[in-house]
Amino acid sequence: MFYHVKELQYHAKPDRPDPLFAKQLQEVLGGQFGEISVALQYLFQGWSVRGNGKYKDLLMDTGTEELAHIEMLATMIARLLDGAPIGDLETAAKDPIIGAILGGMNPQHAIVSGLGAMPADSVGNRWTADYIIASGNLLADFRANLNAESQGRLQVVRLYEATNDRGVKDMLSWLIARDTMHQNQWIAAIKELEAAECGIVVPTTFPKDLEKREVAYTLFNFSQGNQSAEGRWAHGTSMDCEGTFNYVEHPIPFANKPKLNPAPPYIYDTPPNALKANPGNIPPSMC
């Protein structure tokens, strides 16, 4: 059961209208790493946990908080659009400032959403559930959560630098701080699960004798240059402490060149004889 409290988690009031920044702010609301994504990602992960306990509770706590962040951003976007000059091109031509604002405003904020936020990113792409990850494996999911919070915090920090509005900066400062906490909590949960599962490679339960262990810790040089051989990943004990990293500068193929049999006639692929024809011999037009 969810219960909505009318007060916002934190202030969401700009100093002045700014429809261009309202458009930019849509990215951290409805973009790939925006608040809609992380809210639903955490909630679906939490709903999928089989059994209760601290991990489910952590996911539900954080997912619900992200819903509050959606409301904060939606409120801020609506307020940035309050009083925004909306008019015709003739009016814009008379006032360069109005023209600049009209030139940068997302027209859908006026036409579609009625000066309100939308479930979309900064260039109008609608939010999609393809953005969220909920696999049922908490170690894999928490690593995805850490990435989402890292990318999200990066974007909010960039937006913070892109405005001089004190009210907007104040709200973004709150979101940046919460992203700091969320990155830290996912790192803590990852380390705890790695210790509990006695492994770091997901999934930790797959039988090791079923994988080709002879290449499990090999870095193949598949690009020009060999600078990658200097990294920690190319020498010494592997990070899971179960192997030794090694580097192969000149990889060799383990299998022969593949040759596929012709498809049966009812598939109507290109006839085998046509594939053998010399492409340099272009026949005259048959028309």
Side-chain angles (χ1 to χ4, degrees):
M1 182 177 72
F2 286 85
Y3 185 85
H4 178 254
V5 177
K6 294 181 175 62
E7 290 78 14
L8 294 178
Q9 186 186 27
Y10 192 72
H11 309 291
K13 189 173 183 180
D15 291 341
R16 59 190 177 277
D18 188 343
L20 178 57
F21 199 75
K23 177 182 178 180
Q24 296 173 1
L25 210 55
Q26 284 283 162
E27 189 64 36
V28 292
L29 173 63
Q32 180 179 1
F33 301 107
E35 300 290 356
I36 296 175
S37 293
V38 290
L40 290 179
Q41 179 158 306
Y42 302 160
L43 290 175
F44 269 94
Q45 289 175 6
W47 290 325
S48 297
V49 173
R50 297 183 177 271
N52 295 313
K54 60 184 177 182
Y55 297 123
K56 185 182 185 76
D57 198 34
L58 175 64
L59 286 163
M60 299 307 296
D61 284 341
T62 314
T64 305
E65 180 184 2
E66 302 294 9
L67 293 177
H69 294 174
I70 294 173
E71 185 174 23
M72 288 166 56
L73 282 165
T75 301
M76 179 63 81
I77 289 171
R79 286 174 170 170
L80 285 167
L81 294 168
D82 278 349
I86 300 173
D88 57 26
L89 293 177
E90 182 179 354
T91 302
K94 294 178 181 178
D95 189 331
I97 297 177
I98 294 178
I101 293 175
L102 287 173
M105 180 179 184
N106 181 350
Q108 289 197 334
H109 275 155
I111 300 168
V112 177
S113 66
L115 301 183
M118 298 182 297
D121 65 16
S122 57
V123 293
N125 297 313
R126 295 294 175 170
W127 183 85
T128 170
D130 292 339
Y131 293 154
I132 71 172
I133 295 172
S135 70
N137 184 298
L138 288 178
L139 184 52
D141 285 350
F142 288 172
R143 287 173 175 170
N145 295 352
L146 176 58
N147 176 64
E149 292 288 349
S150 301
Q151 297 291 342
R153 189 174 189 272
L154 176 61
Q155 292 180 356
V156 176
V157 164
R158 287 171 173 168
L159 284 168
Y160 182 91
E161 297 292 348
T163 181
N164 291 319
D165 189 298
R166 293 171 299 174
V168 175
K169 277 184 174 289
D170 185 52
M171 186 198 72
L172 295 180
S173 180
W174 170 274
L175 294 177
I176 291 167
R178 294 309 298 153
D179 287 346
T180 296
M181 171 57 192
H182 293 161
Q183 286 190 46
N184 274 278
Q185 76 181 40
W186 297 131
I187 292 171
I190 288 166
K191 290 184 178 298
E192 190 172 277
L193 276 175
E194 288 174 349
E197 297 190 33
C198 299
I200 65 172
V201 178
V202 177
T204 59
T205 53
F206 184 77
K208 292 181 173 55
D209 59 344
L210 297 183
E211 67 174 278
K212 301 291 185 183
R213 297 291 286 174
E214 61 270 24
V215 294
Y217 302 100
T218 299
L219 175 64
F220 293 113
N221 179 30
F222 282 129
S223 63
Q224 188 176 31
N226 56 9
Q227 291 91 337
S228 59
E230 302 169 7
R232 173 64 180 84
W233 49 82
H235 58 85
T237 303
S238 61
M239 308 318 293
D240 60 8
C241 300
E242 296 188 14
T244 301
F245 287 132
N246 63 93
Y247 178 81
V248 176
E249 185 166 4
H250 302 291
I252 60 173
F254 290 97
N256 296 325
K257 178 180 176 181
K259 182 179 180 181
L260 301 180
N261 293 326
Y266 61 82
I267 296 297
Y268 295 99
D269 276 3
T270 302
N273 289 338
L275 293 174
K276 296 177 182 178
N278 186 345
N281 298 332
I282 301 177
S285 173
M286 300 177 63
C287 298

